[in-house]
Amino acid sequence: MKIVLATRNMGKVKEIKEILRGLDLDMLSLNDFTEVPSISEDGKTFKENALKKARFVSRYLNIPALADDSGIEVDVLDKRPGILSARYAGGNATDEENNKKLLLELKDIPLKKRCAHYKCVIAIVFPLGEEETVDGSCNGFISLEPKGLGGFGYDPLFYVPEYGKTMAELPPDIKNRISHRGKALAKLKEKLTAILLSFTPSSQHLKKRYPSGNRGI
C-alpha cells in the first residue's frame, strides 16, 4: 500500500520509516510531492493539527496520508512550548534557536524542577474518509545544556533519567522504543497490520472495515 508521510522533516521521515519497517508499505513524504502547499498548523491540540495535515494531504493526493504533531510541554512554563514547539522562537526558527529560547526561559531553575513531557499524536487518513489516531508520551527533564548529536528538535535537551542521557545521546533503537513518537508508532503499527490484511487497491475493503460514523477518532 502506498502512503505519504505528511512532513518534509527528514528526521521524522527516518524515524517513522524505521519503526514501521517490515510492513508492506511504500512510504513517501512531502519531499516527493513539491506541489503540495504548506498547511497551517492552527489547531488548539496536537490531535487537531495531526488530523488537519493528514486530511488535507490525503484529499489533495488521493492516497492514504500519515501525519504527526508533537512537541514538548514543560510543567514550570505552564506546558509551553506545547503545540508551538516547532516554531517557539519564531515561524522559521531552527532547532538550535528553539532550544536556546527554552534554556533562556528556564535560566536559574534547577534540574529537578525542569519536569517535561514529550507528546505525540499520529493520524492516518484514507481517501474515502476513514481515520485513525494514536498517541504517545515520554517523561523527563530539560537538561541544563544541550548534549548529544543524534535526533532532532529538543532531543539534545530532553534528559531521560532512566538512562542518564538526553534523547540525542541515546542509540536510535532505544530512542525509537521509548520516545513519544516511537510509542505512538508502535500502536499505529498494530492497527496498520490489521488494515493491510483487508486492503485492496480499490480500497473497498477499507470502506467496509470503517463504515460511516465509526472512523476511529
Side-chain angles (χ1 to χ4, degrees), residues 6 35-39 50-62 65 125:
E35 73 276 16
V36 177
S38 60
I39 305 161
L51 280 168
K52 180 178 182 180
K53 289 185 285 186
R55 286 167 178 165
F56 180 87
V57 172
S58 180
R59 290 166 186 167
Y60 191 94
L61 297 175
N62 197 36
V125 174

Side-chain angles (χ1 to χ4, degrees), residues 15 17 34 63 84 98 120 134 156 158 164 200:
E15 283 189 5
K17 285 186 174 182
T34 56
I63 59 176
L84 298 177
N98 287 328
C120 174
V134 292
F158 194 86
T200 65

Side-chain angles (χ1 to χ4, degrees), residues 103 106 109-116 140-144:
L103 285 176
L106 293 172
I109 296 177
L111 181 63
K112 65 181 181 180
K113 293 186 177 181
R114 293 169 172 244
C115 296
F141 297 85
I142 301 301
S143 63
L144 301 177

Side-chain angles (χ1 to χ4, degrees), residues 5-213:
L5 311 180
T7 181
R8 291 187 170 86
N9 184 319
M10 291 309 297
K12 285 187 180 182
V13 171
K14 182 179 179 180
E15 283 189 5
I16 293 170
K17 285 186 174 182
E18 177 62 28
I19 295 172
L20 296 184
R21 187 162 48 97
L23 295 181
D24 189 16
L25 295 174
D26 178 11
M27 288 181 277
L28 306 170
S29 78
L30 290 185
N31 295 311
D32 299 299
F33 300 97
T34 56
E35 73 276 16
V36 177
S38 60
I39 305 161
S40 175
E41 297 181 35
D42 54 5
K44 295 181 180 180
T45 65
F46 295 123
K47 182 175 180 179
E48 287 181 9
N49 283 331
L51 280 168
K52 180 178 182 180
K53 289 185 285 186
R55 286 167 178 165
F56 180 87
V57 172
S58 180
R59 290 166 186 167
Y60 191 94
L61 297 175
N62 197 36
I63 59 176
L66 181 156
D68 97 308
D69 195 44
S70 54
I72 196 166
E73 297 178 345
V74 182
D75 290 350
V76 74
L77 297 180
D78 296 324
K79 305 301 183 182
R80 297 194 312 273
I83 60 172
L84 298 177
S85 293
R87 50 195 184 278
Y88 198 40
N92 296 312
T94 64
D95 289 347
E96 184 179 4
E97 289 169 337
N98 287 328
N99 287 340
K100 284 183 177 179
K101 179 175 180 178
L102 184 57
L103 285 176
L104 183 62
E105 291 202 334
L106 293 172
K107 184 180 179 181
D108 299 327
I109 296 177
L111 181 63
K112 65 181 181 180
K113 293 186 177 181
R114 293 169 172 244
C115 296
H117 317 277
Y118 252 146
K119 299 289 184 71
C120 174
V121 175
I122 296 176
I124 183 167
V125 174
F126 296 86
L128 290 177
E130 308 89 348
E131 299 176 349
E132 290 278 2
T133 61
V134 292
D135 58 50
S137 63
C138 181
N139 301 323
F141 297 85
I142 301 301
S143 63
L144 301 177
E145 60 183 8
K147 292 182 179 180
L149 300 176
F152 58 95
Y154 294 89
D155 287 352
L157 294 182
F158 194 86
Y159 178 78
V160 186
E162 293 88 340
Y163 291 90
K165 296 180 178 180
T166 67
M167 281 287 192
E169 294 178 294
L170 293 174
D173 59 330
I174 294 179
K175 180 193 173 183
N176 288 342
R177 177 166 51 83
I178 70 168
S179 74
H180 55 314
R181 188 173 295 105
K183 291 176 181 177
L185 284 169
K187 295 177 184 178
L188 183 65
K189 191 170 186 178
E190 292 184 9
K191 292 179 179 290
L192 281 172
T193 299
I195 289 171
L196 287 169
L197 290 175
S198 61
F199 173 75
T200 65
S202 66
S203 294
Q204 292 304 308
H205 283 63
L206 287 174
K207 187 173 182 179
K208 293 176 182 177
R209 176 177 169 80
Y210 297 104
S212 178

